[in-house]
Amino acid sequence: SIKWTRNQLFLRSRMLQKTRGVNSWNAFVKAQLKAENEGLGRGDRTKLTAFIAENKATLLREYRKLTFAEKQAYNACVLEDRQAKNCTARANPKAIKHDVNAAFTFMDREVCCAILIILSLLSPPVHTNITEIYSQWMALHARTGLEGFYVAVRGGIEDLAEPKVFFTEKSQKFVRDVLGVEPQHLGLKLEAFIISKLDEHVTLNRQRPLNKLISECRTLIQDNLEFILMEKNTSGEVKMNYTNYERAIVERHGVELTKWPLPGGVKNPSKVGGRAQVQALLDALQSKSCKWVSFSDEELVKRMKDNRARHARGEQVYVQRKARARVSQPKSKATVNTDDELSSSSSSDSDSDSDSDSDSDSD
């Protein structure tokens, strides 16, 4: 099972780390005992302690006669036996429980040591004792202002470790007010979720926003276009042109986006249809069934001829560029005749003077 395999990976790795070196005396005695018991049944074999007690003097005498090379040969035999032996790690629930508790105790001890270092750096130094700190994590929160929580629960019904939880004051309010659950109940719910293996049967059906899917399609198309143009040693930045795709991309750069999964040819992902069409396009791009390919010179010439023939038949292969709109505004005179303005102003002044003279004569 998956859990057995996980235990073998983690627990067995710890067992292998504790392997001791080979002792030449033990290797020699093991070889002599193996030769003594060769051909004997399970109940008739000599025990190691009895064999050493009966033949200790002989074994010591023979061991002193061994050369360095012979000792190394015995050691090599022991190493070969260790490698051939299939070590199976036995996951003892009580041992796992003690391992969990020791891990959290060590974590608390590290936090406490950090707090003591901070206290020792204060001026004047603050003398305190570990026993005076009622909670190492709360002390860390008080000194640094950190807010947070952790929840650790057992991973199976066979495990005996109890839930490990810690909440600061503000994190408790967050869990109660935002998540709507008591902090301790959160740990119990997590434990029930894992023990009942709901993670293997519950699938969360959360649809991604359509605009996110469209954006991801555009990003994949643009990134793959830049990659294939880089392989063709194309200099400069090239933006994907959906409107005039054949002229601006295919004919100009000699590349094509093949196996477009939707009808109507290559177009902007925002114009291919609804969610189902966009998702189909995204799947094709991610699986690389829809991808960019390069044309050879002959293929590119043939493609250009086909495009012109299709366009001549009335198909909209090339899109004409829109003409720039011009706003007509009346233009002002280029030159102004100042003499005319001066004559007109002087005539108006003379007329006004004559009018004033006539008025005075009448009086």
Side-chain angles (χ1 to χ4, degrees):
S1 65
I2 296 178
K3 183 175 180 180
W4 184 88
T5 305
R6 184 184 63 210
N7 288 337
Q8 295 304 307
L9 290 174
F10 290 100
L11 297 181
R12 184 178 175 182
S13 63
R14 294 180 61 186
M15 291 167 54
L16 295 177
Q17 291 176 357
K18 298 178 181 179
T19 302
R20 296 183 302 173
V22 180
N23 183 278
S24 300
W25 166 255
N26 293 339
F28 169 72
V29 173
K30 180 180 180 181
Q32 297 300 319
L33 178 63
K34 184 178 180 180
E36 179 72 17
N37 292 329
E38 187 175 0
L40 299 179
R42 181 179 295 272
D44 300 332
R45 297 173 185 171
T46 306
K47 301 296 182 182
L48 176 62
T49 54
F51 177 73
I52 294 177
E54 294 174 1
N55 306 280
K56 187 174 182 179
T58 305
L59 291 174
L60 289 173
R61 185 170 57 253
E62 295 295 331
Y63 180 74
R64 294 191 186 99
K65 296 179 182 180
L66 294 178
T67 62
F68 179 78
E70 291 174 339
K71 292 180 180 179
Q72 293 298 319
Y74 282 120
N75 294 347
C77 293
V78 174
L79 292 176
E80 290 178 1
D81 292 341
R82 286 183 180 180
Q83 293 178 356
K85 184 179 180 181
N86 184 17
C87 298
T88 302
R90 294 175 175 83
N92 186 353
K94 289 186 177 180
I96 294 177
K97 177 183 177 181
H98 293 320
D99 193 8
V100 170
N101 292 335
F104 278 91
T105 302
F106 179 73
M107 185 167 58
D108 287 340
R109 188 181 302 115
E110 284 188 335
V111 175
C112 184
C113 291
I115 294 169
L116 293 178
I117 293 174
I118 294 173
L119 294 177
S120 63
L121 296 177
L122 295 178
S123 181
V126 178
H127 300 283
T128 185
N129 193 356
I130 296 178
T131 57
E132 297 176 0
I133 304 176
Y134 63 95
S135 173
Q136 290 85 355
W137 289 95
M138 288 303 296
L140 178 64
H141 158 69
R143 289 294 176 185
T144 62
L146 291 175
E147 298 285 348
F149 65 92
Y150 67 77
V151 179
V153 298
R154 54 181 176 162
I157 191 66
E158 300 88 358
D159 300 331
L160 304 178
E162 65 275 5
K164 304 289 185 180
V165 295
F166 168 77
F167 292 86
T168 60
E169 183 178 357
K170 291 184 179 180
S171 63
Q172 284 184 359
K173 291 193 63 177
F174 169 78
V175 173
R176 288 194 182 100
D177 300 339
V178 178
L179 303 183
V181 63
E182 289 295 323
Q184 300 298 329
H185 294 172
L186 180 62
L188 296 177
K189 285 187 176 183
L190 177 60
E191 183 181 36
F193 181 83
I194 295 176
I195 294 299
S196 57
K197 297 182 179 180
L198 289 177
D199 57 320
E200 300 177 3
H201 308 288
V202 176
T203 57
L204 300 178
N205 186 16
R206 294 182 179 176
Q207 290 185 345
R208 298 174 60 192
L210 181 59
N211 61 339
K212 297 292 185 182
L213 300 180
I214 294 173
S215 176
E216 191 167 351
C217 289
R218 289 173 177 166
T219 302
L220 288 174
I221 292 173
Q222 181 65 38
D223 291 347
N224 293 330
L225 173 61
E226 293 176 357
F227 181 77
I228 196 171
L229 292 180
M230 183 180 63
E231 291 182 338
K232 293 171 64 68
N233 296 323
T234 301
S235 59
E237 184 179 1
V238 179
K239 293 292 185 181
M240 177 61 182
N241 191 327
Y242 297 99
T243 303
N244 209 350
Y245 164 72
E246 288 292 336
R247 184 190 300 276
I249 301 298
V250 177
E251 295 184 3
R252 184 172 182 180
H253 300 287
V255 294
E256 179 190 13
L257 189 58
T258 59
K259 296 184 180 180
W260 186 263
L262 302 172
V266 177
K267 62 179 65 175
N268 196 316
S270 62
K271 299 179 180 179
V272 298
R275 176 180 293 274
Q277 289 77 16
V278 176
Q279 186 64 53
L281 175 59
L282 181 59
D283 294 340
L285 292 171
Q286 289 177 340
S287 63
K288 297 189 181 301
S289 61
C290 178
K291 61 181 180 179
W292 290 97
V293 295
S294 299
F295 282 141
S296 63
D297 295 338
E298 295 80 6
E299 291 173 342
L300 181 57
V301 172
K302 183 178 182 300
R303 180 62 172 265
M304 294 173 68
K305 291 180 179 179
D306 293 342
N307 287 343
R308 283 159 177 72
R310 290 169 51 203
H311 191 72
R313 292 194 300 266
E315 298 183 29
Q316 194 177 6
V317 179
Y318 305 117
V319 179
Q320 296 297 329
R321 187 174 182 179
K322 293 182 180 180
R324 180 178 296 176
R326 295 182 178 179
V327 180
S328 59
Q329 295 179 353
K331 293 184 178 180
S332 60
K333 292 182 179 181
T335 59
V336 178
N337 193 348
T338 57
D339 296 335
D340 295 340
E341 291 183 352
L342 291 174
S343 61
S344 61
S345 61
S346 61
S347 62
S348 60
D349 293 340
S350 61
D351 292 341
S352 60
D353 293 340
S354 60
D355 292 340
S356 60
D357 293 340
S358 60
D359 292 341
S360 60
D361 292 340
S362 60
D363 294 338

